[in-house]
Amino acid sequence: MSNNSAVVQGEDHYLNHSRGLMSWLGTLDHKRIGLMYLFSVLLFFLMGGVFALLIRLELFKWGGHNLVDANTYNKFFTYHGAIMVFLVVIPAIPAALGNFILPIMLGAKDVAFPRLNLASYYIFMTGALFAVLALFLRGADTGWTFYTPYSIRTNTTVLLVLFGAFIAGFSSILTGLNFIVTIHKLRAPGLTWMRLPLFCWALYATSIIQVLATPVLAITLVLLCMERILQIGIFDPKLGGDPILFQHFFWFYSHPAVYIMILPAMGIISEIIPVFSRKPIFGYKAIAYSSFGIALIAFIVWGHHMFVSGQSELANFVFSLLTMFVAVPTGVKVFSWVGTMYRGSIHFNAPMLYAFGFLELFTMGGLTGVFLATLAIDVHLTNTYFVVAHFHYVMVGGTLMGLLAGLHYWFPKMFGRMYSETAAKIGFWLIVIGFNVTFFPQFILGAQGMPRRYWSYLPEFTFLNRISTLGSGLIGVGFIYTAYYFYRGMRSGAKADANPWNAQTLEWKTSSPPPHENFHETPVVTQWPYEYLPEDTSMPANLR
Amino acid sequence: MIQQAFAGSVPLQGTEVAVRWDSLYNFLVGLSIFFFVLVVGSILYFIVSYKHDSKKKTQYITGSHLLEAVWIAVPTLLLMVIFVWGYSVYHAMTQAPSDAYEIRVIGKQWLWTFQYDNGRTTVGEVFVPVNRPVKLVMTSEDVLHGFFIPTFRIKQDVVPGMYSSIWFTATVPGKHQAYCTEYCGTSHSAMLAKVVVLEDHQWKAWNQNKEIGPIPEAGQPLPSKTQVAGTLGKKPLIQNISLVEQGRQVYQSKGCVACHSTDGTNKVGPTHKGLFGTQVELANGKFVLADENYIRNHIEYPQANTVKGYNPVMPTFKGLLTESEMNALIAYMKSLK
Amino acid sequence: MLQEETVIHHHAHHFTSANHEFEAAKQGMWIFLVTEVLMFGGLFVAYGLFRGLYPEMFHEAHQHLAVHMGALNTVVLITSSLTMALSVSSAQKGHKVSSVRYLVLTLILACCFLGVKYFEYSHKFHDGLLPGGFFTNTEIKSPKASLFFSLYFMMTGLHGIHVLIGMGVISWILRRTLRGEFGPSYYTPIELVGLYWHFVDLVWIYLFPLLYLVG
């Protein structure tokens, strides 16, 4: 077993290095900041999830008035979308897991700018506070997309939500900036670019998008706030402005934002599959470069959200063509992951199960994405439940599965204890089955023509909506159960070794949980992180 | 109900474009199933074949340029085929023939209004001829809306301050469901319309303001008399149903239901249940008796008759209802005890 | 006058040397400036779009801007960029007094810039040349002229906020310079603030011709 396991007990580590509430609130330790992000994000996930369940309950029966009136329902889906996008899915992996793992993976003692890192966290929480504050006033009912001119005219407190998203955006920008400099400047001796773990590559590509796209969202939200305060009219047709310009600005950020959400999850999958297949990653360079391919294409495809908005046919032609190319680097990744398993020695621990879940759901999300990239097909499917199903398969099936995979994978490193493998398997099946039951029927609903953001629908859509609502209950149970066994694992799980998965990236070369400065001695890297030799097939965690 | 849900994953084909759309859609479904089975099938196969066994070794493989080239080239080619196919169908969807019959559409929260060359205006229902190209030239009075006819596979956003258009040649007579697909506020999900595709003789009659008789839902036989919807011409056409029932149909088809309820709940506007015969307090502080004249007056001049506690958002229906429709509507509202 | 090197700066524990730390900080600042470019970029795109749509209106509306005031401000800002650069180089050489002198000069020039802006703005307010819904001017005949002034106020306003923030951080490094925290071995903050200030200047160099000259 690991030579470090004996030393962990009673040793000074980042969790007991200093004590008291202030030692957390004022910490500069990237690991503690990562955990603070993680728990905040999980709190917002709970809020967003409650709104999701309320939405599904309202849609249990056709005709509206099942639970709430139309105005309240409109606020529910706005809150579900805004919370999940801005406060959960965007920060979940980079700010929480990335903050914790990235510096250790690089063999660094911290991120490049620890104070900026803590500031980012508080900026994020301030933004969240404004958005949540609006809940207690008149809410917001614009949808998370804030389309003009409705968002200019509505008498809800959308201004606070806009302001909150604007502030939270700076947290995202600063985190991206911090990560780029960290990856450039703080790699351990011997950690050359071609030895960089793929999670780091993925975070690097993500950070570039965060840094380049988020400022455009910021200025867009400022302009929209000014529409409401000063009536500047840039997006308001009544004053000569152009409501479609808003959509261009909005999607110039929000399409790349989709890759802010999914690229880090892909990075996690790239780490987990070789470890649990006990084999080198297939096509290291292709996976690393495809992250950049995706990041690059991300910036030139925003118009595919607007095929029926009234933009020109030429624009539609170009955006549809460019969008097709997103599928190529994405396919490269998926095929490389599957190829990694070939002639491996596959272990079925929870991280790997979630990686399988990711592959299944993300493949569905990706393939249905091709439907929506195809011009004629999109005309019928856009703004229907087909789109809702598609992006949930990508966002939940992709990002959330990646997050759960990563949480299980790094759980022993973060808390020094193991979660219950049996419980994790039950949770996994609840979530994956619940997810498919919830969202697969929505593909059919969309193809049949049920529009999204509908408080009431026609009676012929009842059956599939009912199934979808039942599935959402299953997901809810799955997540509550997952939270429960994670809590148990943190409190009383078996003590974890330094390297329970027998993995090779640097975070496993230090004790679990890591010491305050991550490493007692700066590690020196001599090989790439996927050097799994043919006889190296066992895993300490499974030998107990 | 289960049969209904899975009867077809797409609605009936109401245009030629819908037929072409379905071919492409089915091709994509097939292709997706192929790739899904390829990916998930390989995973399952590898899971079974290469399950951890402490006696077996792994094989040290770090990649294959040949395979990488294949899985870059093949999807790229396929995607280009899909793109070209998708664009050609899209092109057919968007290029309206110059002789298309034009109808002007106005979206406003939360009603669709249609204006025809002969000066007629309809609300909530648009009448079009079968087998003849029709172009809808659309704009909005307030916020974004979207006009979507699933059976025709077409959709277009309706934007204030500019005109957008869609066109179609309907091939299936009857009523086709249309939706608003760009979120527009409170009653977005009630902003529905019917596209009524008329056969040649009905179209001729409709244009001459003559009786056209009841129209069934597209692809379905004419339903029994209680379900006949209020597809009225200039005159009351359906003799064998009660005036109250006719009024109920007008109430549905003209979009009253988007903002008012008949069950006692207040929506954007006050409920109409039990309204008739009561004293109503208006925004200007006056009290009026809700009788026939008040209801008529309110429908035609809503801004002058806004009820206290509500926003003056109701559009005028002056000129949009025939006398007989007005009579039927008032009779219906009288019946809402 | 050359000062004794009394500055002892301890680089943070996760860097290997002071120079390592300086390089990281500088890279971070450059990335931050890239995000700033993109933020202003959104406004420039909106400007380009509406100018393309309504060229006559832009031409007529821009004649209501005071070119001489804009030109004066351009000179003021360029000079302040020079004094900022001189202050940075003095700090690098350890000339504390001249570094302080140039920082104060930069602050004064920034105040001048805002003063001129104040007169410009109040004149616009007086003439009813206000953004969007508040536009009340009747002299301009072209329709939708309010859009030009929306863009004018948004662009110069966002720039003005950057000037204010710049004055804040310059005051902060002025304080630190007075305390003797910088010297040839450690001058990172003053260098970074210098970069930021040049960026603020550069944005104005684009704003001035786009709004005042080519309208």
Side-chain angles (χ1 to χ4, degrees):
Chain A
M1 299 263 286
S2 173
N3 49 0
N4 275 1
S5 54
V7 219
V8 174
Q9 204 92 46
E11 176 130 323
D12 175 64
H13 56 74
Y14 82 102
L15 291 169
N16 64 14
H17 182 72
S18 52
R19 290 185 185 278
L21 186 64
M22 287 321 291
S23 79
W24 280 84
L25 295 182
T27 185
L28 297 180
D29 184 344
H30 68 99
K31 299 182 286 302
R32 287 187 169 201
I33 295 172
L35 280 194
M36 279 166 22
Y37 265 117
L38 183 65
F39 287 111
S40 313
V41 162
L42 292 178
L43 180 73
F44 295 129
F45 180 69
L46 179 70
M47 283 174 67
V50 168
F51 283 115
L53 290 175
L54 291 172
I55 291 171
R56 283 314 324 165
L57 280 177
E58 171 59 44
L59 296 178
F60 190 66
K61 188 171 169 295
W62 70 280
H65 280 306
N66 297 319
L67 190 67
V68 290
D69 62 18
N71 281 329
T72 312
Y73 176 81
N74 293 344
K75 287 174 188 169
F76 282 178
F77 75 68
T78 302
Y79 268 101
H80 170 65
I83 290 176
M84 286 301 199
V85 170
F86 294 114
L87 303 183
V88 179
V89 188
I90 287 179
I93 299 181
L97 286 183
N99 237 323
F100 194 102
I101 294 299
L102 177 78
I104 318 184
M105 257 190 175
L106 295 173
K109 288 178 180 154
D110 209 321
V111 292
F113 310 116
R115 256 185 305 224
L116 188 68
N117 199 17
L118 183 65
S120 305
Y121 173 75
Y122 283 109
I123 292 170
F124 171 72
M125 291 307 279
T126 310
L129 192 71
F130 275 105
V132 173
L133 191 65
L135 258 179
F136 297 101
L137 299 165
R138 269 170 287 126
D141 69 339
T142 59
W144 79 277
T145 47
F146 308 119
Y147 269 18
T148 53
Y150 185 76
S151 53
I152 304 173
R153 312 248 189 278
T154 176
N155 62 2
T156 52
T157 33
V158 64
L159 196 63
L160 276 180
V161 182
L162 292 170
F163 193 57
F166 168 75
I167 294 175
F170 282 100
S171 154
S172 190
I173 292 174
L174 295 175
T175 303
L177 184 155
N178 219 334
F179 282 7
I180 292 177
V181 178
T182 306
I183 294 172
H184 268 277
K185 302 288 182 193
L186 295 181
R187 278 169 288 133
L191 187 54
T192 59
W193 287 100
M194 281 300 121
R195 286 178 184 165
L196 205 59
L198 288 163
F199 184 54
C200 302
W201 276 113
L203 283 177
Y204 190 22
T206 307
S207 301
I208 289 178
I209 305 178
Q210 284 178 304
V211 161
L212 294 183
T214 318
V216 179
L217 176 76
I219 192 67
T220 309
L221 296 179
V222 167
L223 287 175
L224 190 48
C225 287
M226 289 300 136
E227 289 284 357
R228 287 185 70 91
I229 300 168
L230 294 177
Q231 304 172 28
I232 55 172
I234 287 174
F235 301 134
D236 188 345
K238 280 207 175 124
L239 297 166
D242 183 356
I244 296 178
L245 179 67
F246 174 81
Q247 298 178 27
H248 280 290
F249 277 3
F250 183 80
W251 289 115
F252 182 83
Y253 165 74
S254 293
H255 191 72
V258 171
Y259 300 105
I260 296 177
M261 307 175 197
I262 194 68
L263 280 174
M266 291 171 159
I268 290 175
I269 302 304
S270 305
E271 293 302 329
I272 287 173
I273 289 183
V275 173
F276 291 86
S277 303
R278 313 305 309 160
K279 247 193 81 208
I281 187 88
F282 189 101
Y284 170 85
K285 280 189 185 174
I287 294 181
Y289 294 154
S290 61
S291 291
F292 287 86
I294 291 172
L296 180 77
I297 301 171
F299 280 99
I300 47 176
V301 296
W302 77 88
H304 68 220
H305 293 268
M306 301 165 58
F307 286 158
V308 302
S309 71
Q311 73 182 358
S312 71
E313 187 173 337
L314 176 69
N316 283 347
F317 178 94
V318 173
F319 281 123
S320 171
L321 180 62
L322 291 171
T323 304
M324 291 293 169
F325 290 107
V326 179
V328 177
T330 313
V332 167
K333 281 178 187 281
V334 170
F335 293 130
S336 300
W337 292 324
V338 176
T340 305
M341 292 178 214
Y342 173 71
R343 289 193 180 276
S345 178
I346 300 172
H347 293 257
F348 298 99
N349 299 74
M352 190 62 163
L353 285 182
Y354 275 105
F356 292 146
F358 175 96
L359 283 172
E360 188 255 321
L361 303 180
F362 181 73
T363 303
M364 292 268 291
L367 289 168
T368 49
V370 176
F371 283 64
L372 296 171
T374 310
L375 265 175
I377 299 296
D378 183 74
V379 169
H380 176 72
L381 295 178
T382 189
N383 285 340
T384 69
Y385 264 82
F386 192 95
V387 173
V388 177
H390 159 71
F391 68 69
H392 280 91
Y393 265 89
V394 178
M395 299 291 86
V396 183
T399 310
L400 216 61
M401 288 287 130
L403 177 70
L404 284 167
L407 274 179
H408 286 90
Y409 180 55
W410 285 306
F411 189 88
K413 184 57 59 184
M414 293 172 128
F415 303 108
R417 292 177 184 277
M418 302 298 290
Y419 58 87
S420 154
E421 202 65 70
T422 323
K425 285 196 170 89
I426 297 169
F428 167 77
W429 287 110
L430 281 172
I431 292 172
V432 166
I433 293 172
F435 179 83
N436 280 300
V437 173
T438 308
F439 291 103
F440 192 79
Q442 296 185 2
F443 281 123
I444 305 171
L445 281 170
Q448 287 175 341
M450 180 175 160
R452 67 191 284 204
R453 296 179 172 174
Y454 262 36
W455 165 70
S456 67
Y457 52 85
L458 298 179
E460 60 258 39
F461 300 129
T462 306
F463 177 70
L464 290 173
N465 270 296
R466 203 156 269 193
I467 293 186
S468 183
T469 300
L470 293 176
S472 70
L474 209 53
I475 306 182
V477 172
F479 276 118
I480 291 167
Y481 183 66
T482 305
Y484 163 74
Y485 74 73
F486 268 153
Y487 175 74
R488 291 240 357 226
M490 277 163 68
R491 289 294 299 264
S492 55
K495 286 260 186 288
D497 302 333
N499 191 358
W501 314 123
N502 197 8
Q504 299 188 356
T505 37
L506 284 180
E507 77 271 28
W508 303 109
K509 305 267 192 269
T510 185
S511 49
S512 301
H516 175 63
E517 294 202 332
N518 294 344
F519 298 94
H520 294 294
E521 279 171 46
T522 304
V524 177
V525 180
T526 52
Q527 60 184 21
W528 77 321
Y530 305 104
E531 190 68 12
Y532 294 101
L533 299 174
E535 52 283 347
D536 181 22
T537 63
S538 65
M539 210 173 249
N542 293 340
L543 290 176
R544 289 166 186 280
Chain B
M1 197 194 263
I2 295 172
Q3 267 179 331
Q4 197 183 2
F6 290 105
S9 74
V10 288
L12 74 90
Q13 299 168 330
T15 55
E16 282 303 318
V17 162
V19 178
R20 292 183 64 185
W21 189 93
D22 287 7
S23 317
L24 176 53
Y25 180 76
N26 291 333
F27 171 73
L28 286 177
V29 170
L31 203 67
S32 299
I33 292 174
F34 171 78
F35 275 102
F36 185 76
V37 169
L38 181 75
V39 170
V40 176
S42 315
I43 294 172
L44 290 176
Y45 177 74
F46 292 164
I47 286 176
V48 175
S49 311
Y50 309 116
K51 190 177 184 312
H52 172 67
D53 178 344
S54 52
K55 287 173 224 104
K56 277 198 217 157
K57 289 181 179 178
T58 63
Q59 195 172 336
Y60 190 89
I61 306 167
T62 58
S64 153
H65 288 304
L66 178 70
L67 269 177
E68 278 171 3
V70 169
W71 65 48
I72 288 173
V74 172
T76 307
L77 279 175
L78 278 170
L79 288 163
M80 286 306 99
V81 172
I82 295 168
F83 167 72
V84 171
W85 191 347
Y87 178 69
S88 79
V89 177
Y90 173 76
H91 192 72
M93 274 177 175
T94 48
Q95 297 304 304
S98 54
D99 63 338
Y101 178 78
E102 275 192 23
I103 299 172
R104 276 145 293 272
V105 181
I106 300 167
K108 61 162 45 169
Q109 290 167 321
W110 293 275
L111 288 173
W112 295 104
T113 307
F114 304 93
Q115 294 176 300
Y116 305 81
D117 279 350
N118 65 4
R120 285 185 74 169
T121 303
T122 58
V123 174
E125 287 176 312
V126 55
F127 295 85
V128 300
V130 73
N131 293 328
R132 192 177 149 189
V134 173
K135 185 177 178 185
L136 304 182
V137 180
M138 310 185 289
T139 191
S140 164
E141 274 190 18
D142 36 49
V143 297
L144 296 178
H145 300 287
F147 199 71
F148 174 37
I149 314 163
T151 48
F152 299 174
R153 313 285 188 272
I154 52 173
K155 177 186 292 136
Q156 175 63 50
D157 280 6
V158 179
V159 185
M162 64 174 261
Y163 293 101
S164 54
S165 68
I166 44 174
W167 83 278
F168 54 84
T169 305
T171 53
V172 179
K175 292 182 171 185
H176 299 255
Q177 184 65 50
Y179 300 94
C180 175
T181 48
E182 199 62 83
Y183 173 69
C184 58
T186 311
S187 291
H188 169 54
S189 58
M191 192 169 164
L192 308 176
K194 291 276 186 185
V195 179
V196 185
V197 178
L198 300 178
E199 305 208 47
D200 290 341
H201 65 279
Q202 292 170 317
W203 176 243
K204 200 176 274 177
W206 189 82
N207 264 300
Q208 294 164 352
N209 296 355
K210 284 188 193 150
E211 185 174 318
I212 53 170
I215 309 286
E217 294 293 320
Q220 287 173 22
L222 198 60
S224 59
K225 62 181 180 181
T226 49
Q227 284 173 290
V228 175
T231 308
L232 304 179
K234 265 285 183 191
K235 294 172 195 163
L237 306 163
I238 304 150
Q239 279 82 28
N240 50 0
I241 60 173
S242 70
L243 194 61
V244 169
E245 175 57 21
Q246 288 178 41
R248 192 189 66 79
Q249 290 164 9
V250 174
Y251 195 86
Q252 298 284 332
S253 69
K254 299 292 174 184
C256 308
V257 285
C259 302
H260 300 281
S261 82
T262 57
D263 62 1
T265 48
N266 291 323
K267 293 159 83 177
V268 178
T271 182
H272 289 154
K273 185 181 183 183
L275 166 71
F276 197 87
T278 58
Q279 288 282 333
V280 178
E281 187 182 4
L282 300 183
N284 57 17
K286 283 185 199 157
F287 282 87
V288 288
L289 177 69
D291 59 3
E292 284 88 348
N293 271 320
Y294 165 73
I295 291 176
R296 182 197 182 93
N297 203 10
H298 192 112
I299 291 171
E300 295 191 335
Y301 305 101
Q303 303 292 325
N305 290 288
T306 303
V307 176
K308 190 177 171 119
Y310 293 90
N311 293 321
V313 292
M314 178 163 160
T316 174
F317 284 78
K318 191 169 168 55
L320 299 178
L321 294 172
T322 62
E323 289 300 332
S324 51
E325 283 171 330
M326 186 70 89
N327 286 338
L329 194 59
I330 293 172
Y332 173 61
M333 289 176 65
K334 245 174 166 173
S335 76
L336 297 170
K337 293 286 175 348
Chain C
M1 66 177 217
L2 195 71
Q3 216 177 319
E4 281 291 302
E5 172 69 18
T6 52
V7 184
I8 301 154
H9 174 71
H10 296 287
H11 59 266
H13 71 106
H14 54 295
F15 292 107
T16 52
S17 67
N19 190 48
H20 188 199
E21 185 182 62
F22 173 70
E23 289 298 324
K26 207 162 160 181
Q27 188 184 43
M29 192 65 200
W30 276 107
I31 296 170
F32 176 72
L33 293 182
V34 170
T35 72
E36 289 276 48
V37 169
L38 279 146
M39 186 153 169
F40 277 97
L43 286 173
F44 283 112
V45 169
Y47 170 91
L49 185 99
F50 286 113
R51 198 182 144 189
L53 281 174
Y54 314 115
E56 291 86 13
M57 179 273 275
F58 266 61
H59 182 73
E60 192 187 349
H62 101 278
Q63 290 167 338
H64 290 257
L65 297 185
V67 183
H68 57 282
M69 284 200 169
L72 174 66
N73 257 349
T74 310
V75 174
V76 167
L77 264 198
I78 290 178
T79 315
S80 80
S81 237
L82 176 71
T83 54
M84 187 73 222
L86 288 169
S87 171
V88 174
S89 99
S90 304
Q92 285 170 350
K93 290 178 196 142
H95 299 181
K96 181 178 156 188
V97 172
S98 82
S99 177
V100 165
R101 190 185 301 139
Y102 285 124
L103 281 179
V104 171
L105 262 178
T106 313
L107 272 178
I108 292 171
L109 288 167
C111 287
C112 291
F113 177 87
L114 289 180
V116 173
K117 249 324 2 105
Y118 169 77
F119 286 114
E120 273 193 87
Y121 274 14
S122 42
H123 194 236
K124 299 286 167 297
F125 286 10
H126 180 259
D127 288 351
L129 297 167
L130 288 162
F134 296 95
F135 186 84
T136 51
N137 185 283
T138 47
E139 280 174 45
I140 299 181
K141 296 286 171 283
S142 312
K144 296 177 178 173
S146 62
L147 270 181
F148 178 85
F149 290 95
S150 293
L151 285 166
Y152 168 79
F153 279 105
M154 288 310 297
M155 293 170 101
T156 56
L158 186 65
H159 178 260
I161 289 171
H162 277 78
V163 172
L164 274 175
I165 294 171
M167 289 169 71
V169 287
I170 289 172
S171 309
W172 170 66
I173 54 164
L174 177 63
R175 200 177 121 102
R176 292 188 63 180
T177 309
L178 285 170
R179 285 179 174 180
E181 291 183 24
F182 304 130
S185 71
Y186 179 66
Y187 51 88
T188 312
I190 190 164
E191 166 104 9
L192 300 189
V193 170
L195 280 175
Y196 172 82
W197 191 252
H198 296 321
F199 168 80
V200 172
D201 184 26
L202 192 70
V203 171
W204 180 257
I205 303 246
Y206 281 94
L207 287 181
F208 173 61
L210 283 178
L211 291 169
Y212 292 78
L213 300 180
V214 293

